[in-house]
Amino acid sequence: MAKELSGVLTALSTPFNPDETIDVATLRQIVDRSIDAGVDGVVAAGSTGEVGALSYEERLLLINTVIEQANGRVPVIANTGATSTAEAIRLSQAVEKAGADVLMLITPYYEPLSLEETVTYIKDVARSVTIPVMLYNIPAVTGVNLDPATARALAEDIDNIKYIKDSSANWEQALQLIHHHADVIGTFIGWDVYLYSALAEGAAGVMAGTANVVPNEIVGVSRLIAEGDFTGARELWNAVYPVIDALLSVPFIPAVKAGLGLQGLPAGSPRRPTADLNAEDLARVQHALSALNVKVG
């Protein structure tokens, strides 16, 4: 299978103004920050972007802004999953028309579905568009696991299902996808601590919320592995891992926003009821960034 999409994809943070409206100006800066660092794509309205707290109109604004700002420099992946099939189709068709390169479909999670219901939903939405579709497997949230056999069957049945983002945190499942199913579906690992391992194993790529905070380092790891310099890649990974570990060891969405703010790009607070990091957690993130020689303050 020809993989048009590969490498490092930033799961973009969504910046908010004090009144909780989307801060479009800062969003544009966050997009440029990742692209300037050399990422291979940007993802709008993902979990890191607080998609569950966004209205339909806000998601359209967010995705359209990212498409406009990326301006063809890198592919834009838009999460168009919704709580109903009809809304997911409506949003998917709107962002396809706007110029999104790939759709990402998270399974509805307000009312947990059966695997059969999930497959029906995916097929209906994927068939409503012509651009490539990425399945988003995050069973801890949706309650449904898209196992490798199901992912393969979907890709074989629906021509434009090309990728899967696996955030199952199940390394055995990830390895099965990478090694046994790459002929029909490209695997992107969405669990940031697996980043080095996934790329070394030959995954199509990684989707990382931490790439908002340390994009240069994550891109560096990816490039070194692609060049076959596993020693250099491991050294860089060892250096950046404490930052990723710190970000994932505290509430993640506010941690990403704190990491951006510490580097002079305030992304605002998360949408309530999610709170900002407390002082102890903020200090942990700041210490990790300082140890990596990232300028903070």
Side-chain angles (χ1 to χ4, degrees), residues 25 33 46 53-54 85 124 160 162 180 192 217 238-240 254 279-280:
R33 172 181 169 83
L54 301 174
T85 301
D124 287 345
N160 62 326
K162 301 292 187 183
H180 299 318
D192 295 41
E217 291 78 5
N238 287 342
V240 73
E280 181 180 352

Side-chain angles (χ1 to χ4, degrees), residues 45-47 51-52 59 78-85 88 103-123 125 133-147 150-151 154 161 164-165 167:
S47 298
V51 63
R59 290 175 75 179
N79 177 22
T80 57
T83 54
S84 73
T85 301
L103 300 184
M104 184 170 72
L105 288 180
I106 190 170
T107 301
Y109 52 85
Y110 178 76
E111 177 66 27
L113 304 180
S114 68
L115 183 59
E116 181 180 3
E117 290 170 323
T118 300
V119 166
T120 299
Y121 159 84
I122 289 169
K123 288 182 177 182
V125 180
V133 170
M134 176 184 289
L135 309 177
Y136 184 5
N137 187 39
I138 182 166
V141 173
T142 65
V144 179
N145 181 44
L146 294 174
D147 61 274
T150 298
L154 281 164
I161 293 179
I164 183 169
K165 175 193 177 184
S167 295

Side-chain angles (χ1 to χ4, degrees), residues 37-62:
V39 302
D40 302 288
V42 290
V43 184
S47 298
T48 305
E50 300 178 68
V51 63
L54 301 174
S55 69
Y56 178 89
E57 291 74 20
E58 287 174 324
R59 290 175 75 179
L60 272 180
L61 171 62
L62 176 70

Side-chain angles (χ1 to χ4, degrees), residues 9-13 41-44 46-49 165 207-212 256:
L9 311 178
T10 302
L12 295 168
S13 177
V42 290
V43 184
S47 298
T48 305
K165 175 193 177 184
M207 189 181 298
T210 54
N212 287 280
V256 168

